[in-house]
Amino acid sequence: MRRRLVLVPVLVFVLSLIGGSTAIAATKSHVYHGRTSQGLKIQFGLVRNQHGTLFMRAVGMGITMTCEDASVDHWGLGIFSFPGERLHGQDLTYDSVDPMFGIHVAGTFKKDTASGTLKTNLAELDANEQAQLCTTGDLTWTAHRSLQSLEPFAGYRTQGRIHVHQLADGAVARYAHRN
């Protein structure tokens, strides 16, 4: 059963890649487009600072989560991070957990290709307003470096938006609304 689709505005991603601090603004962007093992799109926006260190500025993906009551949720999910999540060499580990949502992305970014794993978990109420876990389970992804910029997920129908902002103290603020 298709229940919802939420898409974080990709405009934030694009602006974050071309805007930024003086130290990062003069750097080159690296964009990778690919697919997850669910067959859905995934894309990453990376920047390299003047010291040669890679940072993940943005990740966007389509995901399908299955819930304990066997319902299925379809999501478009995006995360923007400024100044970015530092890669260790070519390796990325991104883990974000709050009381409702957990996302875990890991991968290795080479010159022209990237691959890794991801998992998302969501606390959601079922039809009887009982708490349940919805999850993608463990997924893999592969991507290729592209000359294209980050772009919206063509073909996904948006029914609402979740805005995610990282505050100066590192906390994450989120709010949602239906279109």
Side-chain angles (χ1 to χ4, degrees):
M1 158 179 36
R2 179 171 268 202
R3 291 176 41 182
R4 92 171 123 244
L5 175 69
V6 179
L7 181 64
V8 175
V10 177
L11 177 61
V12 173
F13 302 151
V14 174
L15 292 176
S16 73
L17 287 173
I18 59 177
S21 70
T22 306
I24 295 179
T27 62
K28 188 173 181 182
S29 298
H30 305 277
V31 177
Y32 292 80
H33 292 272
R35 299 263 174 197
T36 70
S37 53
Q38 290 180 329
L40 300 174
K41 293 180 184 180
I42 190 165
Q43 52 191 353
F44 292 89
L46 306 179
V47 294
R48 185 179 303 276
N49 70 9
Q50 74 273 16
H51 304 293
T53 304
L54 275 174
F55 291 83
M56 179 192 76
R57 277 279 181 91
V59 59
M61 68 191 79
I63 57 173
T64 299
M65 291 189 283
T66 303
C67 303
E68 292 173 335
D69 67 359
S71 61
V72 175
D73 286 344
H74 302 278
W75 289 69
L77 176 68
I79 298 166
F80 142 74
S81 178
F82 185 84
E85 296 295 321
R86 183 183 180 147
L87 277 70
H88 299 282
Q90 298 175 320
D91 297 326
L92 169 71
T93 301
Y94 177 82
D95 294 295
S96 177
V97 178
D98 67 28
M100 293 182 59
F101 199 79
I103 181 166
H104 310 279
V105 180
T108 300
F109 291 83
K110 296 180 181 175
K111 181 180 178 184
D112 294 320
T113 63
S115 62
T117 61
L118 79 95
K119 182 176 184 175
T120 62
N121 295 311
L122 171 71
E124 182 175 277
L125 297 179
D126 65 15
N128 297 319
E129 296 187 4
Q130 299 299 308
Q132 66 174 331
L133 177 67
C134 301
T135 184
T136 58
D138 295 324
L139 302 177
T140 59
W141 58 267
T142 58
H144 298 279
R145 190 162 170 193
S146 171
L147 297 176
Q148 300 173 347
S149 64
L150 289 175
E151 53 192 44
F153 292 114
Y156 291 128
R157 187 171 50 106
T158 303
Q159 295 176 344
R161 298 189 193 287
I162 294 179
H163 300 271
V164 181
H165 302 281
Q166 187 168 12
L167 305 176
D169 65 359
V172 175
R174 297 179 183 166
Y175 63 93
H177 66 87
R178 292 194 61 84
N179 288 342

